[in-house]
Amino acid sequence: MKDKSNILVEKRNSAVFLRPRFTIDLDKSTGQILENFSKELKKEDCQFLGNIFDGHVFISVSKKEEHFWSPQLHLEILEKTAQKSVLKGLFGPKPQVWTLFMFVHFVTGISFLGFVVMLFAKISLNEPVFFPIIMMVFLSLIWLVLYLLGKIGKDTGKKQMSDLHDFMIKVIGD
C-alpha cells in the first residue's frame, strides 16, 4: 500500500500569466528543505545553478544551456510550524530580460497617456486629431507585440521550465 504522507499537492494559478506561480505544502522544516537544495546544487553533476538567501532559492539553467528566453525559478520557503513549511514558486525570465520588458512597457504606457492628453487638447482646440490617434493605435500594437513576445519566450523556455520543476520536485521529495 502506498504511503499517502509523501504525496505533494501543487496549487497553480491560471496558465494565462507570463510568470507562472505555484504553492506546495510540505511536511518538512524550512531548514531541512534549504539544506536539501544546498546539497543538490553543490553536486558536481548538477545541471543547474543556484543561490540561496534567507529562505529564498534562485535556480537557473547552466550557462551552457542558457539562451535569451531561459527561465529562472524563484522559490520562497515559509515556515508554518517546526516540521511543516510552504514552498511558493515563481517561474520567470532572467531579471535582466524582465527589467527590459518592464521598461519598454512603462515607456509605452507613459507615451500612450501622453497621446491621450494630446488628443484631448487637440479636440478642445478644434485641431486635427490624426497624429495622436495614429500614435495611440501604434502604441497599442506595440503592447500587443510585447505580450506576444512574452508568450513566445515562455513557450521557448517551456522545456527548461519543466526541467527546473522536475529538479525542484526531486529535491523536495528526498
Side-chain angles (χ1 to χ4, degrees):
M1 189 160 138
K2 193 170 186 175
D3 180 16
K4 292 194 178 218
S5 65
N6 277 342
I7 295 175
L8 297 175
V9 178
E10 185 173 351
K11 296 170 232 146
R12 298 182 186 192
N13 66 356
S14 171
V16 173
F17 296 109
L18 292 176
R19 300 178 69 197
R21 297 172 189 271
F22 58 90
T23 303
I24 301 173
D25 292 319
L26 300 170
D27 291 329
K28 293 181 183 177
S29 70
T30 301
Q32 186 181 9
I33 296 166
L34 291 172
E35 182 64 29
N36 288 353
F37 275 106
S38 181
K39 285 179 187 174
E40 283 295 321
L41 290 168
K42 287 179 183 174
K43 286 184 178 176
E44 288 281 329
D45 62 341
C46 184
Q47 61 184 0
F48 301 102
L49 303 172
N51 295 314
I52 300 173
F53 301 106
D54 294 331
H56 294 264
V57 181
F58 299 90
I59 308 169
S60 56
V61 296
S62 67
K63 295 290 182 195
K64 185 177 80 171
E65 301 288 324
E66 189 176 67
H67 55 75
F68 184 76
W69 296 109
S70 288
Q72 174 178 294
L73 176 57
H74 171 213
L75 303 172
E76 181 180 11
I77 298 128
L78 304 169
E79 188 173 319
K80 271 177 119 173
T81 66
Q83 292 302 315
K84 291 186 184 268
S85 52
V86 175
L87 182 141
K88 293 185 176 200
L90 168 67
F91 284 103
K94 293 175 286 200
Q96 302 87 340
V97 174
W98 189 250
T99 302
L100 173 69
F101 263 73
M102 289 299 97
F103 176 75
V104 174
H105 272 281
F106 178 75
V107 169
T108 303
I110 295 297
S111 299
F112 186 87
L113 290 174
F115 285 109
V116 167
V117 170
M118 181 188 283
L119 176 67
F120 179 73
K122 288 193 175 272
I123 289 172
S124 297
L125 297 171
N126 290 326
E127 292 183 3
V129 294
F130 181 73
F131 179 69
I133 289 176
I134 290 298
M135 289 307 294
M136 288 169 55
V137 169
F138 177 71
L139 291 169
S140 297
L141 291 175
I142 288 176
W143 264 331
L144 179 64
V145 167
L146 287 172
Y147 178 77
L148 293 175
L149 283 174
K151 290 290 285 179
I152 289 168
K154 181 179 166 187
D155 291 342
T156 303
K158 251 191 173 93
K159 165 90 172 75
Q160 290 177 335
M161 279 176 67
S162 177
D163 293 344
L164 286 166
H165 187 267
D166 293 345
F167 173 74
M168 176 206 62
I169 294 296
K170 179 184 126 193
V171 172
I172 62 176
D174 285 344

